[in-house]
């Protein structure tokens, strides 16, 4: 992978090693995919979604109800929602939106894009698939369910991320530092408690990551 992982420790000077796992949302030619779409993330690490093109979102569902917010099906669970992140055509990779969540445990987190019929078209993924726990709950089966879903349902609002959206202008490397100190902000997932939104920002982490990976 071109953008695989960078260590948050390296980015913000933390003493302990916490890894940021990068997921590209769409591609520069606006393909309806997440890349990679099946990642194993230890508890305590972060996943950063970098929005490459188009106007996409990241929404949490449960396995059984793809393309529908988890809040609609699981009691007392808000789920994570990035909000829609439009990217101007030709945007520099240094100024695309990046949205980061902390992973609290290794329970599977099922995600999709709620735009138009992107979920049905293949824009879905999983963090911590666990087919040992239940062989049916594979990403392949989730995608089968997504393709057959009657509707693609958006969360009612971006309220699940309120309080954790940081400035979208003028922020670059400093955003990561400030977001680490704001990790006491909104807990995006209650009940399931699997994700904590750290920040939504425009940032130049792509260049940053490339610089680190070349060390
Ligand atoms: C879009 O880019 C991806 C790689 O990022 C490539 O696999 C795919 O073929 C491209 N699609 C078109 C229509 O150019
Ligand atoms: C992005 O998509 C959302 C949901 O469809 C829509 O409300 C919003 O206006 C779009 N933003 C842009 C800039 O097109
Ligand atoms: C959901 O939260 C309400 C209020 O805190 C509580 O009474 C109820 O038992 C909870 N339901 C579940 C399934 O945890
Ligand atoms: C997967 O599920 C099995 C069985 O429930 C469990 O023992 C294991 O810890 C799980 N793996 C992860 C990474 O959570
Ligand atoms: C495994 O997952 C499927 C799909 O969610 C579910 O219907 C089934 O009850 C689960 N099996 C067990 C043993 O929990
Ligand atoms: Cu999309």
């Amino acid at each position: 992978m071109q953008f695989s992982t960078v260590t948050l420790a390296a980015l913000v000077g933390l003493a302990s090693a916490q890894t940021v796992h990068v997921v590209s949302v769409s591609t520069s030619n606006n393909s309806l995919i997440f890349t990679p779409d099946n990642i194993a993330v230890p508890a305590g690490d972060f996943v950063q979604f970098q929005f490459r093109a188009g106007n996409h979102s990241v929404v949490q569902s449960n396995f059984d109800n793809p393309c529908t917010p988890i809040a609609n099906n699981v009691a007392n669970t808000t789920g994570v929602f990035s909000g829609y992140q439009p990217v101007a055509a030709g945007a520099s990779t240094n100024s695309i939106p990046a949205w980061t969540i902390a992973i609290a445990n290794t329970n599977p987190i099922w995600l999709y894009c709620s735009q138009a019929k992107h979920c049905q078209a293949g824009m879905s993924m999983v963090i911590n698939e666990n087919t040992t726990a239940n062989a049916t709950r594979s990403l392949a089966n989730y995608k089968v369910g997504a393709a057959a879903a009657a509707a693609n349902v958006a969360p009612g609002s971006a309220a699940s991320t309120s309080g954790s959206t940081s400035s979208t202008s003028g922020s670059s490397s400093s955003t990561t530092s400030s977001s680490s100190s704001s990790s006491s902000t909104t807990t995006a997932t209650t009940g399931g408690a699997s994700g904590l939104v750290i920040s939504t920002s425009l940032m130049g982490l792509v260049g940053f990551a490339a610089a680190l990976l070349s060390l």
Side-chain angles (χ1 to χ4, degrees), residues 26-31 33 35:
S26 189
T27 60
S28 57
N29 62 15
N30 204 8
S31 299
I33 54 174
T35 312

Side-chain angles (χ1 to χ4, degrees), residues 124-207:
S124 58
M125 66 170 288
V126 64
I127 299 170
N128 293 325
E129 174 190 68
N130 190 339
T131 50
T132 303
N134 184 324
T136 301
R137 295 183 183 173
S138 64
L139 178 61
N141 284 341
Y142 182 66
K143 285 181 180 282
V144 168
N152 193 9
V153 183
S157 73
S160 65
T161 63
S162 66
S164 59
T165 304
S166 51
S167 165
T168 57
S169 65
S171 59
S172 57
S173 57
S174 62
T175 303
T176 302
S177 305
S178 60
S179 63
S180 70
S181 61
S182 64
S183 57
S184 61
T185 55
T186 310
T187 300
T189 303
T190 58
S194 49
L196 172 69
V197 174
I198 298 300
S199 69
T200 304
S201 59
L202 280 177
M203 57 191 295
L205 189 64
V206 175

Side-chain angles (χ1 to χ4, degrees), residues 25 32 55-57 113-115 118-119 123:
V25 180
L32 301 183
N55 181 3
H56 304 280
S57 68
C113 173
S114 57
Q115 184 68 272
H118 293 190
C119 179
M123 221 168 164

